[in-house]
């Protein structure tokens, strides 16, 4: 459990408080008599708030390990996060690990992970829309091969697919889904260790498959006075 509290420094008056946020809040102050408010409010970059800023988040994690066969392991895990300014975020993960022999392994991993915006963006979204923020969601599957050639030499290779729901600030009312990004890729690495010597080589390649927008960017650009894409 996490709890955040933002207010004036200990021993200082409310008119000393200034905290920067994403638009449309920009700079938050707690007292209209503060020098910062008096100086910058005419420029439209100051928001007067009524009280100290608080936030809280509760998280939980679980993991289940099961071995249906001698060389096969199934791992099921997940994480739950609930921030008072965001929707519930759930990140499940399933991994199947097959030991081919003493030094060679194959792993198949399917997972969904989510990313919440930072607190400054969460507060601005809640202030603008009054609605909880949506998390970005990444879904993927990956096949990994790992080998130990000797005590000093190891190598790994993987191929993966990813689908990402991209969340962004789309208007003055808050954030929303702008599109879905899909990609595939491969990664390889080899390493050699001997006493205090360590040599590692790696290579990765990512290929974008598609990006499907669900937000009308041209209309948005037109509203803010820019030409269409």
């Amino acid at each position: 459990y996490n709890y955040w509290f933002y207010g004036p420094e200990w021993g200082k008056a409310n008119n000393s408080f200034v905290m920067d946020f994403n638009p449309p809040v920009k700079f938050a102050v707690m007292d209209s008599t503060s020098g910062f408010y008096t100086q910058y409010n005419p420029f439209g970059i100051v928001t007067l708030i009524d009280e100290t800023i608080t936030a809280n988040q509760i998280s939980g994690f679980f993991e289940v390990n099961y071995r249906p066969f001698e060389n096969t392991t199934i791992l099921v895990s997940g994480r739950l996060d609930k921030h008072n300014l965001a929707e519930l975020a759930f990140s499940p993960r399933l991994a199947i690990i097959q030991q081919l022999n003493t030094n060679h392994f194959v792993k198949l991993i399917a997972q969904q992970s989510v990313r919440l915006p930072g607190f400054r963006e969460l507060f601005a979204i809640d202030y603008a829309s009054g609605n909880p923020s949506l998390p970005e969601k990444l879904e993927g599957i990956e096949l990994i091969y790992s080998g130990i050639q000797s005590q000093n030499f190891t190598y790994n290779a993987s191929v993966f697919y990813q689908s990402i729901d991209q969340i962004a600030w789309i208007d003055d009312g808050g954030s929303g889904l702008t599109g879905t990004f899909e990609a595939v890729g491969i990664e390889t690495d080899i390493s050699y260790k001997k006493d205090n010597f360590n040599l590692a080589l790696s290579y990765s390649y990512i290929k974008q498959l598609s990006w499907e927008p669900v937000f009308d960017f041209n209309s948005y650009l037109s509203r803010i006075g820019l030409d269409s894409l």
Side-chain angles (χ1 to χ4, degrees):
Y1 177 78
N2 293 307
Y3 176 80
W4 296 270
F5 173 88
Y6 299 94
E9 295 181 37
W10 292 109
K12 293 189 178 183
N14 284 348
N15 62 10
S16 68
F17 177 81
V18 178
M19 187 171 179
D20 64 307
F21 289 94
N22 288 50
V25 177
K26 299 181 181 177
F27 292 96
V29 299
M30 298 178 59
D31 194 326
S32 61
T33 66
S34 71
F36 190 94
Y37 182 87
T38 302
Q39 182 175 357
Y40 293 105
N41 185 53
F43 301 100
I45 61 171
V46 182
T47 298
L48 184 64
I49 61 176
D50 298 327
E51 55 188 0
T52 53
I53 299 171
T54 61
N56 59 83
Q57 177 176 318
I58 186 169
S59 303
F61 176 81
F62 70 88
E63 181 176 286
V64 178
N65 193 322
Y66 174 60
R67 297 189 66 185
F69 309 106
E70 181 179 359
N71 295 324
T72 304
T73 301
I74 299 176
L75 184 65
V76 179
S77 60
R79 172 170 173 155
L80 286 166
D81 294 279
K82 182 62 179 80
H83 194 288
N84 67 302
L85 299 179
E87 295 284 358
L88 179 69
F90 178 49
S91 301
R93 184 175 185 264
L94 170 66
I96 302 174
I97 305 170
Q98 180 66 43
Q99 182 177 358
L100 303 178
N101 54 45
T102 304
N103 296 323
H104 300 273
F105 301 84
V106 174
K107 305 174 187 177
L108 179 64
I109 301 173
Q111 63 182 349
Q112 171 185 288
S113 59
V114 296
R115 185 189 72 85
L116 290 173
F119 173 72
R120 284 175 165 82
E121 188 174 354
L122 284 174
F123 182 84
I125 293 170
D126 180 74
Y127 179 88
S129 65
N131 297 318
S133 175
L134 296 172
E136 282 192 331
K137 183 187 300 183
L138 184 151
E139 297 175 336
I141 186 168
E142 183 174 13
L143 181 64
I144 305 171
Y145 167 75
S146 300
I148 303 173
Q149 185 65 31
S150 65
Q151 182 179 0
N152 308 104
F153 184 70
T154 61
Y155 47 88
N156 301 278
S158 67
V159 57
F160 61 87
Y161 163 83
Q162 293 180 343
S163 173
I164 306 172
D165 288 342
Q166 297 179 313
I167 306 295
W169 191 277
I170 56 177
D171 54 39
D172 291 338
S175 64
L177 179 66
T178 59
T180 300
F181 172 84
E182 292 184 301
V184 294
I186 60 172
E187 292 182 346
T188 61
D189 68 82
I190 59 175
S191 64
Y192 178 81
K193 296 180 181 180
K194 179 69 174 179
D195 298 328
N196 295 326
F197 176 77
N198 186 5
L199 175 65
L201 298 174
S202 63
Y203 173 80
S204 63
Y205 173 80
I206 299 176
K207 170 65 176 178
Q208 177 179 324
L209 297 179
S210 66
W211 189 76
E212 297 295 336
V214 298
F215 176 70
D216 190 349
F217 284 99
N218 289 331
S219 296
Y220 172 71
L221 293 174
S222 177
R223 289 204 309 271
I224 62 176
L226 297 178
D227 294 333
S228 298
L229 293 175

